[in-house]
Amino acid sequence: MAKASDTNRHVDIGSKAGVEPGEGRFPLGDFVLRSGATLRGVTLAFKTHGSLNADKSNAVIYPTSYGAHHSDIEWPIGPGKALDPERYFIVVPDMLGNGLSSSPSNMPPPQDRAHFPRVTVLDNVIAQHRLVAEGLGISRIALVVGWSMGAQQTFQWAASHPEMVERIAPFCGTARTTAHNFVFLEGIKAALTADAAWKDGMYEDQPARGIRAFARVYAGWGFSQPFYRQELYRQLGFSSLEDFLVGFWERRFLRRDANNLLSMLWTWQHNDLGATPGCDGSLEQALGSIRAKALVMAGETDLYFTPEDIRYEASCIPGAEFRVIPSVWGHQAGNGLNPVDSRFIDQALKGLLAA
Amino acid sequence: MAKASDTNRHVDIGSKAGVEPGEGRFPLGDFVLRSGATLRGVTLAFKTHGSLNADKSNAVIYPTSYGAHHSDIEWPIGPGKALDPERYFIVVPDMLGNGLSSSPSNMPPPQDRAHFPRVTVLDNVIAQHRLVAEGLGISRIALVVGWSMGAQQTFQWAASHPEMVERIAPFCGTARTTAHNFVFLEGIKAALTADAAWKDGMYEDQPARGIRAFARVYAGWGFSQPFYRQELYRQLGFSSLEDFLVGFWERRFLRRDANNLLSMLWTWQHNDLGATPGCDGSLEQALGSIRAKALVMAGETDLYFTPEDIRYEASCIPGAEFRVIPSVWGHQAGNGLNPVDSRFIDQALKGLLAA
């Protein structure tokens, strides 16, 4: 059975360590989660692009999405793009559980595999804040931007650090996971864990059959009905529907570790900006506390982060602009897969950064 | 492990046999499928309501939906309703594979379980036509009506027997399965078969873990995002989201046999009215050949039989009326679960029958 690429217990992701620009790992030591559990010997993986300017005013934080490594989401970064390394110092922190930062797959016992504690979006942002403030010496952030689970972390950054975050651009994600989105995630979780080879998370070999099932269920949600109707997977180089299900979806998740996928899934299911300290459990209060200039975007045909849900949340943020990405690519409109949607998002980010 | 209610190898569904009204079974003998395979010793289960009138002009055919038995879909039947047994002779034929008609769960070897041959919607309608024409002596049908997979069979009735079918009312279903719908079904199939207890269909005990996963994936598709947002499952008597996932979805499918579910799933995935003999593989030609007065309905928020797909197909049927059921109940708008949607459908059927 194939090993997932992120199952190595000891990750070495680059030659540059600590807080130097480039790929790096930031040691957080023993990190107390909001739940009260302590994750011991935590490291946060990250990658930076560009350089911090003299007055430290050009930092952009761009957290990772579900199942992604920092290298998977670089499409909006580059010369001439909104996230231009010539102008901005872009920090891409890897989510806890993604296989590069501390994760079920790389933690030593006793917190390895199924014993990895549950981590929230808020925990992630607390860890990222330490990287940014202590590690990189940044006290002002020009922009926090993220897609999907990256959007969840973006909302959290703005609510947790209103004095620090100047702009946010969360897209195709919500500040609180909706009930329907929760059910979609229940489905992919049940599909993965239906495989007895999962062994309640204590497998040695990946439960590949369960991961394939997980991927096949995900496929229906990730793109929209018209995407499939128009066979747009052919634009991505796939020769047939089955080729797409195997070559895009199964391949995407077979690279990953099952416990890592389940860890991030729990984080997603339990995402709730209302749990921000001082917000009394109120989503509306948390969104209302945001002071950053906000551009909130939704994919027109996104099946789980729906435009309706995102529009409502945007309406709770003072002065926020809500914009719909006109696309039939569903949730994947925000994943840099097609030039039209990518240009739309790039233009939007450029406008926000110029403001 | 609990036995599914339709795993008995020898079904006895009622005291009335043959072609008498009531619950019955119609023997088809050795039935040659369109694929060329022969299904040996086939019986078609059915139930009738009301009586055939003197000139045999009041027959209504109402085929079953996915996973349903004839007793599960009786909500539109009753005094004062559109399908009034005082006025109409309503025949509800059970789909092949549903556990009452010949199915993987009740066929003797060598066509038992995983060895049950693949059956199409057209095969079903050929079998049903023999029941109706030979068994019941009916040559004229006032209405064929069906929800979901029942709609698939409705389209097929109209295309295969244009001289016989006066009216059709397919709702929340398509004449050809779309690519996205196919992917949704791939997901639930992969979830079920990820359970090693499935044993490639040769299990003795039901693969309950796989069936639960199947059900949990289905849950996200069966209702709409706003249904979950508004917690409308409470109207169905469920106390929480988890209670709904277990009490509605898992319960619904744990009653069923895994091979039966997979058999009907194959039928659904491969549904294509264009395969009607004489139509050159053309969906449009098959729909264009329909002579029945057609009222085609779609659920406004149906996630897999989308209004867009159904509208297109309706536009190919000469003189067809297309109507949207204004509902946030998703695909389940057509399943008789809430009085508003049920009344909408009932009124529509009454109008069609009066025409």
Side-chain angles (χ1 to χ4, degrees):
Chain A
M1 199 168 291
K3 292 280 182 184
S5 68
D6 58 359
T7 53
N8 300 316
R9 291 293 156 84
H10 302 287
V11 173
D12 182 5
I13 60 165
S15 55
K16 294 172 188 168
V19 297
E20 293 299 307
E23 288 191 328
R25 308 183 71 198
F26 183 68
L28 288 163
D30 292 350
F31 184 70
V32 181
L33 301 168
R34 293 280 303 166
S35 66
T38 298
L39 194 53
R40 298 185 192 281
V42 173
T43 55
L44 205 61
F46 65 96
K47 184 175 176 183
T48 64
H49 304 258
S51 307
L52 195 59
N53 60 9
D55 62 352
K56 298 187 171 182
S57 65
N58 69 336
V60 172
I61 313 297
Y62 176 37
T64 55
S65 53
Y66 183 75
H69 292 179
H70 58 248
S71 55
D72 294 326
I73 60 165
E74 294 183 346
W75 68 266
I77 303 171
K81 296 185 180 179
L83 307 190
D84 188 339
E86 304 289 316
R87 299 186 58 185
Y88 295 102
F89 178 59
I90 303 140
V91 182
V92 186
D94 288 274
M95 222 189 319
L96 292 164
N98 85 337
L100 298 182
S101 289
S102 291
S103 300
S105 66
N106 62 26
M107 282 290 281
Q111 295 188 308
D112 60 317
R113 298 183 285 178
H115 304 293
F116 189 78
R118 288 166 170 176
V119 170
T120 64
V121 170
L122 179 55
D123 290 324
N124 272 285
V125 170
I126 291 169
Q128 291 169 20
H129 180 262
R130 285 186 53 191
L131 162 66
V132 170
E134 300 170 21
L136 301 168
I138 293 168
S139 57
R140 208 172 131 193
I141 300 172
L143 172 69
V144 186
V145 54
W147 171 64
S148 198
M149 282 193 82
Q152 297 172 356
Q153 296 163 75
T154 299
F155 285 114
Q156 189 65 63
W157 262 102
S160 291
H161 303 287
E163 76 299 344
M164 191 173 180
V165 178
E166 295 175 343
R167 299 172 192 80
I168 58 169
F171 55 103
C172 312
T174 56
R176 183 167 66 191
T177 296
T178 66
H180 179 267
N181 195 328
F182 186 96
V183 173
F184 146 52
L185 296 169
E186 278 298 294
I188 57 174
K189 181 175 77 178
L192 194 161
T193 60
D195 184 351
W198 172 60
K199 295 181 183 172
D200 293 328
M202 299 311 288
Y203 52 83
E204 288 295 330
D205 292 315
Q206 293 296 325
R209 188 166 189 136
I211 293 175
R212 284 179 190 267
F214 173 103
R216 235 158 235 262
V217 176
Y218 216 129
W221 292 111
F223 292 89
S224 76
Q225 299 94 341
F227 172 89
Y228 284 104
R229 193 184 296 131
Q230 298 171 34
E231 301 186 1
L232 295 181
Y233 48 81
R234 295 187 188 279
Q235 291 186 19
L236 299 174
F238 297 96
S239 58
S240 67
L241 182 56
E242 178 65 16
D243 187 43
F244 177 61
L245 295 179
V246 174
F248 185 93
W249 285 104
E250 294 188 1
R251 179 175 164 280
R252 163 177 290 205
F253 289 114
L254 283 170
R255 297 180 305 168
R256 300 291 177 240
D257 172 80
N259 285 323
N260 290 357
L261 291 172
L262 294 172
S263 172
M264 289 179 282
L265 189 150
W266 191 94
T267 304
W268 181 348
Q269 283 192 313
H270 295 83
N271 175 47
D272 182 6
L273 197 74
T276 304
C279 294
D280 284 333
S282 163
L283 173 68
E284 288 75 9
Q285 191 171 326
L287 289 166
S289 74
I290 292 176
R291 295 291 164 260
K293 183 170 177 59
L295 172 60
V296 181
M297 290 184 279
E300 183 181 11
T301 54
D302 195 320
L303 288 172
Y304 47 92
F305 290 116
T306 72
E308 293 73 20
D309 291 312
I310 295 175
R311 178 183 287 114
Y312 169 71
E313 291 188 348
S315 76
C316 299
I317 301 174
E321 182 189 351
F322 172 72
R323 207 175 287 181
V324 173
I325 306 165
S327 170
V328 297
W329 288 63
H331 184 61
Q332 296 285 327
N335 199 17
L337 295 178
N338 78 82
V340 175
D341 295 341
S342 297
R343 197 175 312 120
F344 184 94
I345 295 164
D346 187 64
Q347 291 295 326
L349 296 181
K350 281 176 178 157
L352 179 65
L353 280 164
Chain B
M1 197 170 292
K3 294 279 184 183
S5 67
D6 58 358
T7 53
N8 299 317
R9 291 294 156 82
H10 303 288
V11 174
D12 182 4
I13 60 164
S15 54
K16 294 171 184 169
V19 297
E20 294 298 308
E23 288 191 325
R25 309 183 69 199
F26 183 69
L28 288 162
D30 292 350
F31 183 70
V32 181
L33 301 168
R34 293 281 304 167
S35 66
T38 298
L39 193 53
R40 297 184 193 280
V42 173
T43 54
L44 205 61
F46 65 96
K47 185 174 176 183
T48 64
H49 304 256
S51 307
L52 195 59
N53 60 10
D55 62 354
K56 298 186 172 184
S57 65
N58 68 337
V60 172
I61 312 297
Y62 176 37
T64 55
S65 53
Y66 184 72
H69 292 178
H70 58 247
S71 55
D72 294 325
I73 59 164
E74 295 183 346
W75 68 267
I77 303 170
K81 296 185 180 180
L83 308 190
D84 188 338
E86 304 289 316
R87 299 185 59 184
Y88 295 102
F89 179 60
I90 303 141
V91 182
V92 186
D94 288 275
M95 222 188 318
L96 292 163
N98 85 338
L100 298 183
S101 289
S102 292
S103 300
S105 67
N106 61 27
M107 282 290 281
Q111 295 188 308
D112 60 319
R113 298 184 285 177
H115 304 292
F116 189 79
R118 288 165 169 175
V119 170
T120 64
V121 170
L122 180 54
D123 289 324
N124 271 285
V125 170
I126 291 169
Q128 290 169 21
H129 180 261
R130 284 185 53 193
L131 162 66
V132 170
E134 300 170 19
L136 302 168
I138 293 169
S139 57
R140 207 173 133 195
I141 300 172
L143 172 69
V144 186
V145 54
W147 171 64
S148 197
M149 284 194 81
Q152 297 172 355
Q153 296 163 74
T154 299
F155 285 115
Q156 189 64 63
W157 263 102
S160 292
H161 303 286
E163 77 297 344
M164 191 173 180
V165 178
E166 296 175 342
R167 298 174 193 80
I168 58 168
F171 55 104
C172 312
T174 57
R176 183 166 67 190
T177 295
T178 66
H180 179 267
N181 194 330
F182 187 95
V183 173
F184 145 53
L185 297 168
E186 279 297 294
I188 57 174
K189 181 174 76 178
L192 193 161
T193 60
D195 184 351
W198 173 59
K199 296 181 183 173
D200 294 328
M202 299 310 288
Y203 52 83
E204 289 294 330
D205 291 314
Q206 294 294 325
R209 190 168 187 135
I211 293 175
R212 285 178 190 268
F214 173 103
R216 237 159 234 263
V217 176
Y218 216 129
W221 293 110
F223 292 89
S224 76
Q225 298 95 340
F227 172 89
Y228 285 102
R229 193 184 297 130
Q230 298 171 34
E231 301 187 358
L232 295 181
Y233 48 81
R234 294 185 189 280
Q235 291 185 19
L236 298 174
F238 297 97
S239 58
S240 67
L241 183 56
E242 178 65 17
D243 187 44
F244 178 61
L245 295 179
V246 174
F248 185 93
W249 286 103
E250 294 187 2
R251 180 176 164 279
R252 164 177 289 203
F253 290 115
L254 283 170
R255 296 179 305 170
R256 299 293 176 238
D257 172 80
N259 285 322
N260 289 356
L261 291 173
L262 293 170
S263 172
M264 289 178 283
L265 190 151
W266 191 94
T267 304
W268 181 348
Q269 282 192 313
H270 295 83
N271 176 47
D272 181 7
L273 196 74
T276 304
C279 294
D280 284 332
S282 163
L283 173 68
E284 288 74 10
Q285 192 171 325
L287 289 167
S289 75
I290 292 175
R291 295 291 164 262
K293 182 170 178 59
L295 171 60
V296 182
M297 289 183 279
E300 183 181 10
T301 54
D302 195 321
L303 288 171
Y304 47 93
F305 290 116
T306 71
E308 293 73 20
D309 292 312
I310 295 174
R311 177 184 288 113
Y312 170 71
E313 292 188 346
S315 76
C316 299
I317 301 174
E321 181 188 353
F322 172 70
R323 206 175 289 183
V324 173
I325 307 165
S327 170
V328 296
W329 288 63
H331 184 61
Q332 296 286 326
N335 199 16
L337 295 179
N338 77 82
V340 175
D341 295 341
S342 297
R343 198 174 313 122
F344 184 95
I345 295 164
D346 186 65
Q347 292 294 327
L349 297 181
K350 281 176 177 158
L352 179 65
L353 281 164

